[in-house]
Amino acid sequence: MSEIKLKGYRRSDSLFGIRNHIVVMSSVSCANSVVERIAKTDSDIIQITHQHGCTHMGADTEQVLRTLSGTCNNPNVGGVLLVGLGCENVSVSDIASHVDHSGKIVKTLLIQEIGEIQKIMDAARDSIRQMKDFVLKQQRSNFDICHLTVGLECGGSDPFSGITANPAVGLVSDRLVELGATVILSEIPEMIGAEASLKSRIPDDTVRQRLLARIKDYVRFAKDAGCDLRGSNPSPGNIKAGLSSIEEKSLGSITKGGRSNIKEFVEYARRPKCKGLVVMDTPGNDPESVTGMVAGGANLVLFTTGTGTPLGNPVAPVIKISSNTGMYQRMSDFIDINAGEIIKGTRTDAVADEIFEFLLDVCNGRQTAAEVNNCREFAINRIGPSF
Amino acid sequence: MNQHRNLSDYAIILSGKDNVATALVDLSAGNYISSSGESRTTITVPEDISAGFKLALSDIRKAEPIYKYGYVIGLAKTDIKKGHCVHVHNLLSSV
């Protein structure tokens, strides 16, 4: 156990939320408008809608179910109302049966079963009242930082990302791992060309082979789509800014994972079994990748950016770290911490300390820029076509 | 301009194994001193290099690996002289 104690909402002995959100979630896109209407009745409610839940098959059905139930299982969620249509692939009862109800309240509502909109709104109002009663009774209690899960993401990289923001986050990652927390490195396509660095840090043969095979899959996806990675990645903008190869871009990207050994390779939206540094199978698409990590249990996400983005998540605070001062000044109310001053001589470990202190404050309730701006992107990674 | 400037004020070397440095600010042509432990070498940069771009810390021969972050980021397409800019014109990805 470490010296660092945080205050969170206890869901179980090893799961603590740093937020206590009430979520209204659609199980299928057909229920989205009703969910939006319910969410408009109360400003304390977090709305989650998406484009999935039906007319997909096999692995997609599993992945959508895992992502939706995983999001409900995220310890930052205290109450959830699942709204379904009634005839979809991914039913509200399927989702609810995959949610651990300990320390949280789960309600369901089926549009076809209730019938008319006013009756649906009345039922929703009842559920929301019960969820509020439950959630408001919960108090923050002390928990050790080893129970924290932190996701890592970068979006809109520039040549300074791999020199300023990512290495600073890498130091934070190493510190979290030393304290016993779980850190998730993601974005498999951003690992193409960095295999030598990654594999030297994966002691387990199976984990190493699975990760390397998955990186190869992405090289093949690009070829199958008729793209030459060498012609398209780094992008023309990356090249204009000084990045010369995909290896250089990927090696800069993975520095945010620090220097710890990689313990596990987990599927998209699945909760890691190991503490320490793990890799999740997510795409480079920022909302999809962050959604996957949060569904896998990430309490919060450290997000580095060179070009700037408003991106947040419905249930997990996203801490935005800029790689250059120019963008930070231009987009200051979207960014939490500027790592760009490392270029002018500020020490990387000083910025890492600033990020770490901010992270502790966010765990204890401080709002991130994305939360203040109500930026709450949610996107599920799809595998195959809709039918 | 025969003034010698410290390379570390203008560029960063990310690993001891690297044979390139990355400019942190726009770096004008001229002489720079690169220090590593006891050793000091003079690097003559023939052309201005923009922030974010790389320069060779030693002569790199055609087909030799180019290291940044301590790992190979590509192979030299041509002979690259110490101090010259290293980018897509003389570096080929090996992916």
Side-chain angles (χ1 to χ4, degrees):
Chain A
M1 298 290 256
S2 74
E3 297 283 300
I4 297 175
K5 292 281 183 286
L6 299 169
K7 281 193 174 293
Y9 300 95
R10 185 182 179 283
R11 312 293 175 208
S12 71
D13 287 346
S14 60
L15 277 181
F16 290 82
I18 59 169
R19 297 291 182 270
N20 206 16
H21 288 309
I22 296 175
V23 169
V24 180
M25 175 190 277
S26 58
S27 69
V28 61
S29 50
C30 309
N32 285 354
S33 297
V34 169
V35 165
E36 284 164 20
R37 188 154 165 175
I38 294 169
K40 276 197 190 115
T41 63
D42 194 320
S43 59
D44 291 339
I45 287 173
I46 303 277
Q47 158 196 321
I48 298 182
T49 57
H50 53 89
Q51 301 308 310
H52 315 276
C54 207
T55 61
H56 41 55
M57 307 197 303
D60 263 319
T61 305
E62 276 177 39
Q63 184 144 300
V64 170
L65 176 60
R66 196 167 65 243
T67 309
L68 295 178
S69 57
T71 305
C72 299
N73 274 323
N74 186 290
N76 295 350
V77 174
V80 60
L81 170 61
L82 296 164
V83 181
L85 181 59
C87 54
E88 62 272 27
N89 276 169
V90 177
S91 70
V92 292
S93 54
D94 274 347
I95 300 170
S97 72
H98 285 84
V99 177
D100 181 353
H101 289 43
S102 68
K104 66 177 77 185
I105 178 167
V106 182
K107 309 294 288 179
T108 60
L109 183 161
L110 282 180
I111 296 168
Q112 290 170 347
E113 197 176 89
I114 298 178
E116 293 166 333
I117 185 70
Q118 200 47 56
K119 288 181 187 163
I120 292 166
M121 296 304 288
D122 290 345
R125 193 181 318 110
D126 273 355
S127 294
I128 289 167
R129 192 182 310 121
Q130 290 174 50
M131 289 194 290
K132 279 198 155 177
D133 286 347
F134 182 89
V135 165
L136 286 172
K137 277 183 198 138
Q138 294 178 315
Q139 301 288 326
R140 284 184 185 259
S141 57
N142 281 335
F143 74 101
D144 191 280
I145 197 167
C146 72
H147 299 307
L148 197 70
T149 300
V150 174
L152 307 176
E153 181 77 17
C154 52
S157 298
D158 70 0
F160 298 114
S161 298
I163 294 168
T164 60
N166 289 346
V169 168
L171 292 177
V172 175
S173 169
D174 286 340
R175 193 159 164 193
L176 288 165
V177 168
E178 276 171 31
L179 291 166
T182 305
V183 178
I184 307 174
L185 181 64
S186 65
E187 302 181 286
I188 305 303
E190 312 261 320
M191 296 179 186
I192 298 168
E195 293 88 341
S197 169
L198 289 165
K199 72 183 180 191
S200 67
R201 290 160 47 200
I202 313 179
D204 184 88
D205 289 342
T206 312
V207 172
R208 189 169 57 246
Q209 282 157 13
R210 283 182 57 219
L211 176 59
L212 294 177
R214 194 58 181 149
I215 296 171
K216 266 192 188 148
D217 283 347
Y218 271 97
V219 176
R220 202 188 66 237
F221 296 156
K223 280 190 181 134
D224 290 351
C227 299
D228 181 354
L229 276 175
R230 284 193 280 189
S232 58
N233 200 345
S235 67
N238 290 153
I239 291 171
K240 211 177 152 191
L243 285 173
S244 309
S245 68
I246 190 163
E247 294 95 310
E248 184 181 7
K249 189 177 169 181
S250 293
L251 285 162
S253 169
I254 65 163
T255 56
K256 63 187 182 297
R259 294 168 188 276
S260 312
N261 277 347
I262 295 165
K263 300 280 193 57
E264 191 182 352
F265 179 57
V266 280
E267 265 182 301
Y268 182 83
R270 193 176 290 287
R271 191 188 294 273
K273 290 189 182 76
C274 296
K275 298 271 182 196
L277 182 65
V278 305
V279 173
M280 183 178 282
D281 183 6
T282 76
N285 178 296
D286 298 333
E288 290 186 15
S289 181
V290 170
T291 297
M293 289 190 285
V294 173
N299 291 98
L300 64 89
V301 175
L302 296 175
F303 190 117
T304 65
T305 177
T307 53
T309 169
L311 190 132
N313 178 268
V315 301
V318 175
I319 298 174
K320 225 75 63 51
I321 300 142
S322 57
S323 68
N324 67 83
T325 301
M327 184 273 284
Y328 174 71
Q329 286 169 343
R330 215 168 40 252
M331 298 182 71
S332 59
D333 57 7
F334 286 112
I335 305 295
D336 296 292
I337 289 166
N338 178 30
E341 292 298 296
I342 291 170
I343 291 167
K344 293 176 195 150
T346 302
R347 291 176 57 98
T348 307
D349 53 7
V351 175
D353 286 346
E354 191 188 343
I355 297 168
F356 191 76
E357 290 303 319
F358 188 83
L359 177 151
L360 299 181
D361 287 347
V362 167
C363 287
N364 291 328
R366 180 171 177 177
Q367 298 265 294
T368 63
E371 287 177 297
V372 170
N373 296 323
N374 206 20
C375 297
R376 301 194 182 275
E377 282 69 24
F378 185 83
I380 304 175
N381 176 238
R382 274 291 287 268
I383 301 161
S386 290
F387 281 77
Chain B
M1 284 280 286
N2 243 346
Q3 193 192 347
H4 282 48
R5 291 162 286 185
N6 282 324
L7 186 66
S8 61
D9 293 337
Y10 300 85
I12 187 167
I13 303 167
L14 290 158
S15 160
K17 206 172 172 183
D18 292 356
N19 53 8
V20 294
T22 305
L24 293 175
V25 291
D26 291 343
L27 192 149
S28 56
N31 292 324
Y32 293 82
I33 303 283
S34 175
S35 317
S36 165
E38 297 287 291
S39 71
R40 283 157 60 90
T41 54
T42 302
I43 295 177
T44 303
V45 177
E47 283 178 310
D48 294 352
I49 291 178
S50 301
F53 284 71
K54 296 173 291 299
L55 62 122
L57 293 170
S58 58
D59 289 342
I60 305 169
R61 279 197 294 206
K62 188 178 172 179
E64 278 182 352
I66 294 162
Y67 290 93
K68 180 175 169 179
Y69 300 106
Y71 287 92
V72 179
I73 61 163
L75 303 176
K77 265 194 224 180
T78 59
D79 289 345
I80 303 170
K81 283 217 171 338
K82 181 162 87 169
H84 284 234
C85 182
V86 176
H87 197 32
V88 287
H89 63 288
N90 55 14
L91 178 153
L92 185 68
S93 164
S94 22
V95 169

